Amino acid sequence: MKLVILDRDGTINEDRDDYVKSPEEWIPVPGALEAIARLNHAGWHTVVASNQSGIGRGLFDMATLNAMHLKMHQMLAKHGGRIDAVFFCPHTPADNCDCRKPMPGLFKQIGERYGVDLGLVPVVGDVLRDLQAGTQVGCEPHLVRTGKAARMGEAEIADLCAKVPGTTVHADLGAFAEWLIERERAVRVAAGEPPSGYGTPDT
């Protein structure tokens, strides 16, 4: 099973300093939904691992979170893509839970749900904690320079990468999708398989 684990706020949709609190505030990053669809068409399953402490902080309730995700799924479907599941932590930092990133609890849940070893499964996010949580279970770290990372300077990006060795940096989710598909294409070519059309919507 080919699996990619994505952060939500700042990676798929625009981030907000005051939290994304309603479907109206849930606005996709340009090109992100198309990138997920392209990954799907190339054979990857995509799931989300997201901190949603707005619930614990009383900023919105579960019905509102579900409405946000319904909007995400509906908009993604228009591009021919899908997210298989959303795993989220509703807690605040004061709860000291195991599921709030950078803790790895959400990733362990994903591994258990799908019955897969998460070693080398790509994790994509825009902040340090996304990558720290994933690498604790062996995920391959990828930083996108959208969301909070869009405001980071080169020195800050370098510092983040030093804290999570092996991190690959991409301009956005579209650039990550292109990188991953091209790597898979190279593997197919090396194995003597035809690369023609790989990663396009009709394959």
Side-chain angles (χ1 to χ4, degrees):
M1 179 181 182
K2 298 196 303 184
L3 185 67
V4 174
I5 301 173
L6 304 174
D7 171 52
R8 199 195 79 170
D9 299 338
T11 300
I12 300 173
N13 58 281
E14 301 286 358
D15 197 15
R16 294 173 60 101
D17 290 336
D18 61 345
Y19 302 92
V20 179
K21 304 176 293 300
S22 69
E24 293 72 27
E25 293 180 351
W26 195 96
I27 301 170
V29 172
L33 301 182
E34 294 89 337
I36 293 170
R38 190 168 183 217
L39 288 171
N40 296 156
H41 297 151
W44 273 276
H45 294 266
T46 54
V47 300
V48 167
S50 178
N51 286 352
Q52 291 297 322
S53 67
I55 293 177
R57 299 173 195 273
L59 300 177
F60 53 86
D61 58 18
M62 277 299 306
T64 302
L65 183 65
N66 288 338
M68 291 185 219
H69 291 155
L70 176 61
K71 179 180 179 179
M72 177 178 69
H73 291 308
Q74 289 175 336
M75 293 185 71
L76 187 54
K78 292 179 180 178
H79 293 282
R82 61 171 290 175
I83 288 172
D84 287 15
V86 177
F87 294 78
F88 66 92
C89 169
H91 305 114
T92 68
D95 292 323
N96 294 316
C97 64
D98 182 55
C99 54
R100 179 176 168 81
K101 295 181 291 185
M103 299 301 288
L106 289 180
F107 291 80
K108 292 178 180 179
Q109 291 176 30
I110 293 168
E112 291 169 1
R113 169 81 66 87
Y114 290 95
V116 298
D117 181 355
L118 296 182
L120 301 183
V121 167
V123 56
V124 187
D126 69 312
V127 294
L128 177 63
R129 65 187 177 209
D130 298 328
L131 310 188
Q132 290 174 322
T135 54
Q136 288 188 65
V137 294
C139 289
E140 178 185 81
H142 294 267
L143 180 75
V144 286
R145 298 194 69 170
T146 52
K148 290 183 172 60
R151 302 193 292 268
M152 293 181 184
E154 295 302 324
E156 292 175 284
I157 294 292
D159 181 63
L160 185 153
C161 291
K163 292 176 179 176
V164 187
T167 296
T168 303
V169 181
H170 309 272
D172 53 25
L173 198 53
F176 163 76
E178 178 66 21
W179 179 91
L180 188 61
I181 288 169
E182 286 298 325
R183 183 174 70 173
E184 183 80 357
R185 182 181 284 115
V187 170
R188 288 165 65 94
V189 169
E193 299 177 27
S196 179
Y198 180 71
T200 58
D202 57 353
T203 59

